[in-house]
Amino acid sequence: MSMRPISAPICWPSSSSKLSYEQYCGLARASELVGERWGLLIVRDLLVRDQRFGDLKQGLPRIPTSVLTNRLKTLEEAGVVERKLLSSPRNTIVYTL
């Protein structure tokens, strides 16, 4: 009995800097968006309530500020997170899903 390799769909990230599974299904796309480090935890915290940047930072104390900023921008560009300007107090910016 000969053994033959099992073919599987391509699920490895491409060589580009952004995570891409090159799959065209919702689960793969969701994984590309929130699958990077800290992404899912940011979404988890925003599921509870809208939060300011400082609230997110406090809830994820080990996340570097630059990483939090980049993940929020990426999620915002993808339409997962929305950035809102509240008029009070003092033109506060909150993030929401």
Side-chain angles (χ1 to χ4, degrees):
M1 182 172 169
S2 65
M3 299 290 263
R4 64 179 190 165
I6 299 172
S7 62
I10 300 170
C11 289
W12 302 104
S14 67
S15 60
S16 67
S17 62
K18 291 199 173 203
L19 180 66
S20 174
Y21 292 107
E22 298 177 9
Q23 297 286 300
Y24 301 100
C25 72
L27 187 57
R29 181 68 180 132
S31 181
E32 289 171 0
L33 295 174
V34 297
E36 292 202 30
R37 190 170 187 193
W38 300 104
L40 192 57
L41 296 177
I42 293 168
V43 170
R44 176 203 63 190
D45 286 359
L46 291 174
L47 279 171
V48 176
R49 64 181 169 87
D50 298 350
Q51 298 199 37
R52 296 174 296 160
F53 186 90
D55 298 332
L56 288 166
K57 182 73 172 117
Q58 185 177 7
L60 301 166
R62 297 191 62 190
I63 188 171
T65 302
S66 61
V67 172
L68 179 56
T69 300
N70 289 336
R71 294 297 177 267
L72 286 169
K73 283 181 184 177
T74 301
L75 292 170
E76 184 180 2
E77 289 170 359
V80 176
V81 170
E82 184 180 350
R83 187 176 184 228
K84 291 184 182 177
L85 178 64
L86 301 179
S87 58
S88 67
R90 297 181 287 132
N91 297 329
T92 302
I93 294 173
V94 295
Y95 294 91
T96 186
L97 294 178

